[in-house]
Amino acid sequence: MSFLTLTDITKVFGTTTVVRDFDLTVEAGEFISFLGPSGCGKTTVLRMIAGFEKPTSGTIRVGGADVTALPASRRKIGMVFQAYALFPNMSVRENVAFGLKIAGMSGREIASRVDEMLDLIALGHLADRYPYQLSGGQQQRVALARALAPRPNLLLLDEPLSALDAQIRTSLRDDIRRIQRELGITTVFVTHDQEEALSVSDRVVVMHAGRADQIGTPSEIYNRPTTRFVADFVGQLNTFTAKQVGPQSLHFAGVDVGGLDLSSVAANSAVTVALRPEAMSLNRRPTDTQSLPGRVLQSSFLGSVIRAQVNVAGTPVSIDMFNRAGVTVPAQGAQTEVWFAHDDLVILPESAT
Amino acid sequence: MSRQVPVLSVVIAVLGAAFFIVPLIATFNFSLRMKRGELSFEAYRSVFESDVFVSVLSFSAVASMLAILVGIVIVVPTAYWVRLRVPRMRPVVEFLSLMPLIIPPVVLVFGYVRIYGTGSFLPMTMTDTGTNTLLVIGYVVLSIPYMYRAVDNGMASIDIATLTEAAESLGASRLRTIAFVIFPNIRSAIVSGAFLTFSISLGEFVITSLLNRPGFGPYLVQMGQDYAYQPAALAIMAFAFTWTCMVLMEVFANLKPGQRLLRQRTSTSVEKALP
Ligand SMILES: Nc1ncnc2c1ncn2[C@@H]1O[C@H](COP(=O)(O)OP(=O)(O)O)[C@@H](O)[C@H]1O
Ligand SMILES: [Mg+2]
């Protein structure tokens, strides 16, 4: 039984359709990320779940109940904003207590719940500070505690880390995930940063132009992108145009490659195949099953990784190899073989745009 | 680079200051000379002794206070609503709020007298209460440009849209959001607007005298025609009062959350202790 269900959601602002045909089911306790470029409608979907926007059509159900028409103040949803949005006139303690006061809890209950929340974010010693006396990371922690204090049904976070610097971003990201696991709260996390989305989520929704392009676990999204957009947006990718030459074979980069699952490809249609930089190597690895001829354009030694640019049948291909015994920095201009495994080949039919 | 004394700038600054300060000193000096041959506060004493002074001052003070209250009740929700719901209309509303500066008070009050005068559909000027109401409304109108600006600036300094959403997601109704989140965060702006309103309406002359109300402004003018020393004393007091308002405005505007007026020092030390 899914906990949060979005059915056929559409949102139109004026004459522009910002979200279309959006379907999603989220299990209780799951951590879901919306990933996509700026302007693709992530915030709009989140705001519809929160109740700040009404969908033009479609329904939203939380815990089995239809909340589509319910105002935000009655949805019991915790929200964390990119700009923290702490109440400037209230101390840390008062901020965290706000939702509890509104809920009509007694003073003693409020005090103990606030202490519990401040412990959770490890900011008990700053309880009497005001927001302007806190760093960005501390403010966002308080905002998290404030959102979680009234035990909401859902936690929504809209790019909560985007305003922070890199180091704090990683540590707060991990804290959010730890706290989410500890409380088992169903969470929707919006970000345009693929590393953020892939590293913390149970599942990722990759959004593109108002649609959910692909929904899957981080490894499915990364290893098995089903659309051109997902393949391009998530991670780096080398692409070749391919031609179907048999029921299970494609011709690309001057080579026929057989033994492929082409069930998603319509007969005689154009196909794009793609390989991640780390799926290829210039030295054959035990799992490698196929090679393409090429010439080294350029190579650089980056410590743990050796990065090479190789010209494969006129296409410059980027390759990342782990720096292990037996792997050498290839010489510029050298003839070489580019190795990969059949399983790592991503096949993107023309229809998958 | 050697530091040069900017002679010209200093001269201009001194001249400018003298332009304001010399008449003030002269007026003050004059106000102390009611008793021949000595300096005394006789003129001030005689002003305060007058029953009329006390009654016109309290009349104007009450009218100004009411104007402040009405102004806040009109301006705060309007500015909030405009920023939250129709931000595109903000320039229009801002322009409308400036109208009282463009339309002279004489025109305003003649308009009132025509529309609400004897024989009109709502003859407010027939009764004292009605006329007093018109007076307060007139003060509100005069102060709207300042009140709106102060409150709108206060709202600009906080992200009211996001704060409103944060409060709503925590279960707060719109009313509670305004009362507990928006209002406290623009309190200093409201106080500034209130002081401005007070200093404008307390000595207001045109509307007050044309509606024939026993206010402080007409009294000041009357005194100026009838007496020599008392008007000087009144002018000095009015000046001191306006300055006090300005200083209070400044103090309130710079107050940080959690700071009390008298506890400023402790709060400052907390701030300094920050890394
Ligand atoms: N209130 C609104 N009125 C009109 N257009 C809007 C509104 N909110 C968002 N949009 C438009 O909807 C699109 C998606 O916005 P948003 O959901 O904020 O994207 P994201 O969060 O993915 O960056 C954008 O093109 C944006 O301009
Ligand atoms: Mg956004």
Side-chain angles (χ1 to χ4, degrees), chain A residues 13 18 37-44 53:
Chain A
F13 284 120
V18 171
S38 168
C40 70
K42 308 180 294 289
T43 297
T44 306
E53 303 279 359

Side-chain angles (χ1 to χ4, degrees), chain B residues 195 240-254:
Chain B
F195 279 125
F241 173 75
T242 313
W243 268 44
T244 313
C245 281
M246 303 282 258
V247 169
L248 287 178
M249 249 165 59
E250 200 59 28
V251 169
F252 274 100
N254 291 326

Side-chain angles (χ1 to χ4, degrees), chain B residues 214-227:
Chain B
F216 191 53
Y219 171 78
L220 271 184
V221 172
Q222 191 61 43
M223 290 292 282
Q225 286 168 4
D226 299 352
Y227 299 91

Side-chain angles (χ1 to χ4, degrees), chain A residues 16-69:
Chain A
T16 40
T17 306
V18 171
V19 176
R20 59 189 90 206
D21 313 328
F22 196 94
D23 285 289
L24 176 68
T25 56
V26 182
E27 302 304 319
E30 207 176 4
F31 192 117
I32 289 265
S33 289
F34 292 174
L35 172 65
S38 168
C40 70
K42 308 180 294 289
T43 297
T44 306
V45 176
L46 199 74
R47 290 170 57 80
M48 288 191 282
I49 301 174
F52 300 135
E53 303 279 359
K54 273 208 165 45
T56 309
S57 67
T59 54
I60 301 170
R61 305 176 78 82
V62 177
D66 187 341
V67 300
T68 318

Side-chain angles (χ1 to χ4, degrees), chain A residues 26 86 157 183 196 208 246 314 318 352:
Chain A
V26 182
L86 292 181
L157 306 108
L183 303 180
E196 232 166 75
H208 172 45
S318 177

